[in-house]
Amino acid sequence: MVFGGSWVAGYLVKRVLQSMLVILGVVTLMFLVLRLSGDPVALLLGMEATPEQVEQVRRNMGFDRGIHVQYLSFLTSLARGDFGRSIRFNSPTLSMVLERLPASLELAFVSSVLATVVAVPLGVVAAVKRNSLLDNISMFLSLLGQSVPTFWLGIMAILFFSVKLKIFPTSGSGSVKHLILPTLSLAAYSMARIARLTRSAMLDVLGQDYLRTARAKGLTERVVIYRHALLNASIPIVTVVAFMFATVMGGAIVTEVVFAWPGVGRLLVEAVHNRDYPLAQTCVFFIAIFVTAVNLVADIVYMAIDPRIRLGE
Amino acid sequence: MKGPIGVGTGLRSVQARRLRESRNLASLGRRVWRSRGGLIGGSIVIVALCAAAIGPYLLPVDPIEVDLGNRLAPPFWQAQGSAVHPLGTDHLGRDVLARLLHGSRISMMVGLVTVVVAGSLGVSLGLVSGYFGGTLDAVIMRAADVQQAFPFLALAITVVAVLGPSTRNIIIILGVGGWVLFARVTRAEVLRAREEVYVEAAGSIGASNVRIVVRHIMPNIASPIIVLASFAFSLMVVSESALSFIGLGVQPPTPSWGSMLYDARNYLEAAWWLPSFPGLAIMFLVLGVNIFGDWLRDYLDPRMRVL
């Protein structure tokens, strides 16, 4: 770290700039998607609008101007924090989304952490005890976990634990009991992916010479596996964990609907059903910001664990 | 794979040989038969394909015919169930088994068409990006970065918001949106293949760029793309069901596994079979495709990692 100090700073600045470029791209894509339908005003107003209303809105929102002018004014209003108003609720979309954001982040964080904490040790043990009963069972379960649609697992969990056994509430949020079923059903898929990848990354590493050296030095098996092997297998593991975080944000949209969880995902689906495009746009914007931030963090973690990246080789 | 060049080319030739072999159906069949994963996964896929192809003829029941006198009938093994509706009926008295069989056609059709669309787009862009490099490569890859900032489903939902929900729009959205997967893998493979001696040799005897890409690079990068296509199919089937489940995909009364789950959401307490069977069908198909895909990857491309 000491020798690579200025390089590290340069790398960080470069990555942050790249992320900002991605955000600009995200904003541009949102701008373009609204124009896919041809006439954004018809979309924003719905079928019942009179021609006078359409003309009024067209002028108010500046749709009569050139597309580059519209794009620039779109960018400047976003920069000022003006994300537009919800068509249905007529309140600023920004505050509506920010209000729902904590619930979504809670769900995403708890299930991602849960998945990682369970799956990484499971993958390590499966690799170390290759072809054992534990390995076979956990790999079969993870194949199954990868094949079950997340939202359907949630429905089945409600059917079994809430409707039949009446242990957990069917929907809503607010207590730990409310959190358990959505988190578990959301974590299952990530858990499966992370466990499988950890296993295969560990298998790649386990046959390497430096592990034989570490054992020859007289290190305990525990230190050999968790310090030497796992650390060297960690780059692909960090990649898949970061990727699963993003996937969880996507899966959470439908899971939030299943459990009536008051997050951004459910807000997004409701907005789309109400043809409330400005609200949907703001929801997706924040989901994209979150994913970009996770990717940035993953890159910084790579740098911390891999000296080759840190030293700029 | 960072290894000596010899190792890389060795594996390449294994891949190329196996890909050639796999065109011979009899020998591919023997390989599948001998392997556990290939056999189990392959059988599930074939059963699912048969169900979609001939199921509706074996069970000539109209999947959208409403019979309000016969609502929410349970499966045959329960007390009020009957053999007329083996898997029961839904809230409008429609036969669940008939809807499952017809739904399998929609789900698989959406899966296949979207993979073909996403594959053609992604492979073309990946080839251009990887082979020519430069500004075009930078533009395509930055576009891929931007798109991957959205979870796949979030982007699909936003576009549905503009285009409106329908089976056709779902195919367009999932198909166009899936290009990134294929473009990234294709590009990485092209970058690797471009350095190989056979490409240089073809170039030095005056083969055109088009000829090098089509005749020399494409056959050598086909294996990972075929494997990816099998996993992309699973992803598309699940995405379609998720979109249909939130009412933004296949629209009623057309049965798809996702739209059946959408219909079932208000009857969890009254009729357990309504949410259970369509989900089991999705799981069965996706599990089969995933097991087969795993086997295919091990068979065609031993150096690829579980992702």
Side-chain angles (χ1 to χ4, degrees), chain A residues 15 19 23 287-300:
Chain A
R15 274 300 285 120
S19 301
I23 298 292
I287 293 173
I289 293 261
F290 179 76
V291 172
T292 310
V294 168
N295 288 338
L296 184 62
V297 171
D299 271 2
I300 294 172

Side-chain angles (χ1 to χ4, degrees), chain B residues 14-32 219 222-223 226 292 295-296 299-301:
Chain B
V14 171
Q15 277 178 47
R17 181 164 50 80
R18 292 198 168 166
L19 196 66
R20 262 200 315 280
E21 265 174 30
S22 67
R23 289 200 200 109
N24 178 348
L25 274 179
S27 105
L28 184 70
R30 266 197 305 280
R31 288 277 188 174
V32 170
S223 301
I226 293 169
F292 190 74
W295 172 79
L296 201 63
Y299 171 61
L300 286 177
D301 198 359

Side-chain angles (χ1 to χ4, degrees), chain A residues 264-295:
Chain A
V264 180
R266 192 160 67 109
L267 189 65
L268 169 64
V269 174
E270 283 164 3
V272 172
H273 277 297
N274 295 329
R275 314 276 283 159
D276 193 343
Y277 188 80
L279 184 55
Q281 177 175 287
T282 311
C283 291
V284 173
F285 178 74
F286 275 91
I287 293 173
I289 293 261
F290 179 76
V291 172
T292 310
V294 168
N295 288 338

